[in-house]
Amino acid sequence: MIHQQQQTQQASLLDHSSTFLNTVQDEILRAKEELDNMDIVKAARANPNLFEIEAYSHLKGSAKLNSLTATTLRGQGKIIVPPVIFYNEDQTEVTIVGHLGKELCGHDGIIHGGLLATLLDEVLACVAMPSLPNRMGFTANLNINYRRPVLSDQWIVMRGRLDKVEGRKAYVEAWLESVDGTTRFTDATSLYISPKQ
């Protein structure tokens, strides 16, 4: 009798887990479809002066598994699907479109400012690294202006631009804006420095 109750409970838990996983998979598929059908994404894919790269494709093995944005912050209620990334031909400008879920808040309904700083730093790196020696560098400083709150559960556009390169130094700027481009939420400037060796 006890053994039969345990089996029934286990079967119920398995059914619940399966239903949950199917729901998450459905949400991921819907988000991916929504992303692919956005006007900004379709226009970028149709632009012959831009090329698309796969998000986090430069990370391999443990580097990807231990990445804050590629793995830790991914999932339902967070960054549900990898963003799409578009570069201009010389990789001095980047446009990234991504979704920020409800579980990334500092205040209820408002995305955490520290997460926005992280995203800006990654956008800045996207345009700094290609111009640095050995395509490698580190953030020396990061200056951020928070202009408007970013509400959770919405798509945002992240843009970055290389200002200048001086030897091992790259000066870059980036900003986060609404999908329609009418609202700038935050902007930042940064200095990246490539190691001597």
Side-chain angles (χ1 to χ4, degrees), residues 165-179:
V165 177
E166 295 175 348
R168 295 185 303 110
K169 297 178 180 180
Y171 297 87
V172 288
E173 63 179 320
W175 59 96
L176 308 179
E177 65 186 27
S178 58
V179 171

Side-chain angles (χ1 to χ4, degrees), residues 8-195:
T8 302
Q9 287 175 342
Q10 287 175 344
S12 176
L13 285 174
L14 286 173
D15 287 344
H16 180 70
S17 294
S18 177
T19 301
F20 175 76
L21 290 175
N22 288 337
T23 301
V24 171
Q25 288 299 325
D26 288 346
E27 284 187 35
I28 290 170
L29 290 173
R30 275 194 302 273
K32 178 74 174 119
E33 184 177 338
E34 189 175 337
L35 178 61
D36 288 338
N37 286 309
M38 294 177 77
D39 289 341
I40 189 171
V41 173
K42 290 194 286 188
R45 286 181 173 152
N47 186 335
N49 297 317
L50 299 178
F51 67 94
E52 183 175 357
I53 66 163
E54 180 184 339
Y56 317 116
S57 60
H58 64 289
L59 298 174
K60 307 293 181 218
S62 65
K64 189 169 186 175
L65 289 174
N66 298 319
S67 169
L68 181 64
T69 54
T71 306
T72 307
L73 294 176
R74 287 283 314 285
Q76 185 182 30
K78 300 175 188 174
I79 300 171
I80 192 162
V81 292
V84 292
I85 302 172
F86 300 97
Y87 274 108
N88 66 343
E89 291 177 15
D90 59 3
Q91 293 184 283
T92 58
E93 294 182 9
V94 69
T95 299
I96 302 170
V97 182
H99 188 271
L100 302 178
K102 293 179 179 179
E103 295 180 21
L104 301 173
C105 297
H107 297 281
D108 191 26
I110 299 174
I111 298 297
H112 195 291
L115 176 63
L116 299 178
T118 298
L119 295 175
L120 284 164
D121 188 44
E122 290 200 353
V123 175
L124 292 158
C126 284
V127 287
M129 299 296 186
S131 299
L132 288 170
N134 299 318
R135 299 176 68 85
M136 169 61 100
F138 299 96
T139 309
N141 68 43
L142 176 60
N143 303 298
I144 302 173
N145 297 306
Y146 294 95
R147 303 198 180 279
R148 297 220 187 318
V150 178
L151 301 180
S152 64
D153 198 22
Q154 73 167 312
W155 295 96
I156 64 165
V157 177
M158 300 164 265
R159 297 187 189 272
R161 179 172 42 228
L162 176 70
D163 289 331
K164 65 180 176 178
V165 177
E166 295 175 348
R168 295 185 303 110
K169 297 178 180 180
Y171 297 87
V172 288
E173 63 179 320
W175 59 96
L176 308 179
E177 65 186 27
S178 58
V179 171
D180 63 8
T182 61
T183 304
R184 186 177 284 202
F185 301 116
T186 63
D187 51 60
T189 57
S190 185
L191 167 63
Y192 276 75
I193 299 179
S194 185

